[in-house]
Amino acid sequence: MDFRIVHREAFQVTGKMREISTVDGSNLREIPAFWQDCHTDGTSMKLDVLAAGKDMLGICMDFDGQNRFHYFIGVETEADQTGAEEFVSRVIPAADWAVFTSVGPMPGAIQQVWHHIYADWFPSSGYEHARGPELEVYPPGDTASDEYRCEVWIPVLKK
């Protein structure tokens, strides 16, 4: 599985957050439903304006060890920018990231990448999870296209 390691300093994100369950793979349904809700209720358009040309982000964070985490749909913003009232801001800490490319229609293509990262890459990579937020980086484009490209960023430490 192809990847690259990137160091990134801390940055701020602004968007909406929802608690997600991983019981019986419900996260594979809940996250796409959250994205659909954000497209339908106008959140995506508001974030596009706030983003000023930056990529959309899907962020898995606040893992509780009890099969739940927060999924954050947002954009990178300046530290002094808070956005609209319905949004929250969080800081993503500095980290070294293993970056993987997904090619194909969403959500299936990126779900396959996630599966390969945990089933294949981590066991043989020489890296371990750094216990921070996990990022999905979505550039503008047709997310239903067979050619759509996005990325998964996992915080890592060398074993």
Side-chain angles (χ1 to χ4, degrees):
M1 181 170 220
D2 290 336
F3 71 98
R4 68 185 191 278
I5 300 294
V6 174
H7 178 78
R8 177 116 197 250
E9 293 301 322
F11 61 99
Q12 180 170 298
V13 294
T14 300
K16 278 192 169 180
M17 193 164 26
R18 183 177 285 178
E19 188 173 271
I20 301 293
S21 170
T22 60
V23 175
D24 296 326
S26 62
N27 55 307
L28 299 176
R29 296 178 300 280
E30 290 180 34
I31 291 172
F34 184 28
W35 278 101
Q36 185 59 47
D37 291 348
C38 285
H39 292 312
T40 302
D41 71 10
T43 296
S44 296
M45 288 180 17
K46 291 175 185 176
L47 289 171
D48 279 340
V49 170
L50 193 59
K54 295 182 179 150
D55 299 331
M56 284 287 249
L57 302 171
I59 305 170
C60 302
M61 59 175 52
D62 306 330
F63 300 93
D64 70 2
Q66 302 296 317
N67 300 317
R68 300 198 77 69
F69 64 94
H70 286 117
Y71 188 82
F72 187 97
I73 294 176
V75 294
E76 185 176 346
T77 53
E78 297 299 320
D80 60 353
Q81 194 175 19
T82 57
E85 289 180 7
E86 72 263 31
F87 296 141
V88 296
S89 292
R90 299 285 296 269
V91 173
I92 304 300
D96 290 328
W97 305 85
V99 180
F100 305 86
T101 300
S102 170
V103 180
M106 296 297 108
I110 203 163
Q111 289 175 350
Q112 280 298 110
V113 170
W114 280 109
H115 172 76
H116 289 300
I117 290 168
Y118 281 95
D120 305 325
W121 186 78
F122 265 121
S124 63
S125 69
Y127 288 91
E128 60 187 52
H129 200 289
R131 303 290 172 228
E134 301 170 334
L135 311 177
E136 298 168 340
V137 180
Y138 295 102
D142 178 5
T143 60
S145 168
D146 288 341
E147 305 303 316
Y148 182 72
R149 299 175 74 84
C150 60
E151 295 177 331
V152 173
W153 290 47
I154 306 289
V156 295
L157 300 168
K158 190 78 171 152
K159 287 183 187 176

